[in-house]
Amino acid sequence: MHYFGNNIKTHINNLEVSYTDNGPEEGSVIIFIHGFPLNKTMWDKQLDALKEDYRVISYDIRGHGDSEIGKDDFSIDIFVTDLLNLMAKLKIAKASLCGLSMGGYIALNAIENHPDRFDALVLSDTHCIADPPKVKQKRMDTIESIKAFGVEKYVNEIIVNLFAPESFTNQIKAISNVKDIILDTCELSLSRTLLALSLRKATCEKLPEITIPVLFIVGEEDKITPPEVSELMHEKIKDSDLHIISHAGHLSNLEKPDEFNEQLKLFFAKVYKKPIMYGTYSDNSNKSKLRSKLNMFLSI
Ligand code: MLT
């Protein structure tokens, strides 16, 4: 039996996991995977925008949001196993994935290892490289700093890298929500995830093997995973598009939700061959770009 709604609890891998599941039961499925150290609510505006046409699911990665942390160490592989078990539990044979940053690492790993389970992929503000030694060391220093000084200091340090400078004047609510989410994440989960991220393997070599449609979306001012990286990845995947969002940083879906959502709608309309209705997004220059894309899609 499936329960559609918000903050539903289920058990997978001996763990209670929280997820939100909206939209038509028979609809094509899109699963949203959050970044670190956030939770599934970062996707609320995307779920709202797409739930009329698709079955949209977001879930809390173990140790984040309302999902239990469990006994085991974290790794990208374990996160992928959780994702596949959640799909099995919800009887989802095939889905599209939309992952931001860490969510993108998980999505890439899942698609490269289980290509037959996925229809399409949105990679937002993410990359395929493993941590270089300097970044690994920084993650270890952060683990020590969280132990010594607590999460508040950590939040104040990372928040400046998550958003574009102008978001600090026009996205005050989104920023304060993100701060609260991080403050609510337990220290053990932060440390386990930092370690898992530092140990993850590169996935770049397998990019040319991806044959499903891929959309890259990235904030022009993303300091953590800059647009150049998405451009390089885009070049390696034949059936891929790239959209760069101006005046947005690393959390581009929160900073420019309307533009982000229009891109998702266009992309999934192409993937699942659906007609597209325009929303309220009003950047005219981009709208004409979107219109010409729409015409392309309609002529398929
Ligand atoms: C994220 O947003 O998920 C993180 O920036 C990922 C990372 O630290 O590599």
Side-chain angles (χ1 to χ4, degrees):
M1 166 135 20
H2 297 133
Y3 299 93
F4 287 82
N6 298 342
N7 290 319
I8 307 160
K9 298 277 167 65
T10 190
H11 280 89
I12 51 167
N13 283 354
N14 299 320
L15 209 68
E16 189 175 74
V17 166
S18 171
Y19 68 99
T20 286
D21 188 350
N22 285 315
E25 184 167 8
E26 300 308 325
S28 305
V29 182
I30 308 170
I31 302 176
F32 290 80
I33 317 175
H34 64 80
F36 171 75
L38 283 102
N39 67 31
K40 65 179 175 313
T41 61
M42 69 166 279
W43 295 116
D44 284 354
K45 288 192 175 161
Q46 282 66 50
L47 264 58
D48 275 350
L50 294 170
K51 69 185 179 191
E52 257 182 48
D53 292 318
Y54 305 97
R55 181 172 170 199
V56 283
I57 296 170
S58 59
Y59 69 101
D60 289 326
I61 292 169
R62 58 170 69 205
H64 297 77
D66 295 324
S67 288
E68 286 179 347
I69 183 164
K71 293 197 193 81
D72 301 319
D73 287 340
F74 291 179
S75 65
I76 299 296
D77 287 345
I78 229 176
F79 294 154
V80 170
T81 305
D82 289 343
L83 166 67
L84 293 172
N85 284 339
L86 181 64
M87 287 172 68
K89 190 79 185 235
L90 301 181
K91 301 201 171 10
I92 295 167
K94 239 178 157 185
S96 286
L97 296 178
C98 174
L100 185 137
S101 201
M102 174 176 75
Y105 309 158
I106 297 168
L108 265 176
N109 184 307
I111 282 175
E112 290 180 347
N113 291 303
H114 307 274
D116 49 326
R117 302 295 307 278
F118 301 101
D119 293 323
L121 170 63
V122 178
L123 289 172
S124 171
D125 301 273
T126 193
H127 60 67
C128 58
I129 56 173
D131 277 0
K134 244 180 158 172
V135 177
K136 276 192 205 293
Q137 185 55 49
K138 189 155 188 293
R139 294 205 200 264
M140 297 310 119
D141 295 344
T142 305
I143 292 173
E144 290 309 316
S145 164
I146 292 172
K147 265 190 211 145
F149 306 110
V151 182
E152 204 163 329
K153 180 171 182 286
Y154 171 60
V155 174
N156 292 327
E157 281 166 6
I158 65 160
I159 202 80
V160 288
N161 290 328
L162 294 179
F163 291 91
E166 73 179 72
S167 294
F168 288 87
T169 49
N170 61 24
Q171 290 292 351
I172 291 167
K173 177 106 180 51
I175 290 173
S176 113
N177 283 345
V178 166
K179 280 184 166 179
D180 288 344
I181 291 173
I182 304 172
L183 285 170
D184 279 349
T185 310
C186 78
E187 285 185 27
L188 181 60
S189 172
L190 293 172
S191 306
R192 281 188 184 175
T193 315
L194 283 162
L195 188 61
L197 292 174
S198 79
L199 296 175
R200 76 183 191 283
K201 297 190 191 87
T203 50
C204 309
E205 275 192 4
K206 286 191 174 176
L207 290 178
E209 291 168 24
I210 297 179
T211 53
I212 56 174
V214 177
L215 170 65
F216 291 93
I217 307 181
V218 61
E220 191 170 25
E221 295 169 53
D222 185 344
K223 292 184 211 138
I224 299 176
T225 49
E228 298 74 33
V229 181
S230 291
E231 271 168 31
L232 285 176
M233 292 171 76
H234 164 52
E235 279 166 21
K236 286 179 190 262
I237 301 179
K238 206 166 157 221
D239 188 4
S240 68
D241 291 319
L242 167 67
H243 182 81
I244 299 175
I245 302 190
S246 331
H247 311 293
H250 188 57
L251 298 182
S252 57
N253 74 310
L254 292 175
E255 295 173 272
K256 295 282 170 191
D258 292 341
E259 185 169 345
F260 197 101
N261 293 346
E262 290 285 3
Q263 288 302 315
L264 292 185
K265 284 183 187 174
L266 278 168
F267 178 67
F268 285 116
K270 180 173 76 161
V271 169
Y272 292 117
K273 310 258 187 291
K274 280 187 187 276
I276 306 164
M277 300 299 288
Y278 277 103
T280 52
Y281 170 57
S282 65
D283 175 333
N284 287 334
S285 58
N286 264 309
K287 203 156 198 167
S288 62
K289 274 187 231 155
L290 294 178
R291 260 200 205 103
S292 63
K293 278 193 173 184
L294 169 64
N295 292 338
M296 242 167 60
F297 299 157
L298 292 180
S299 65
I300 288 173

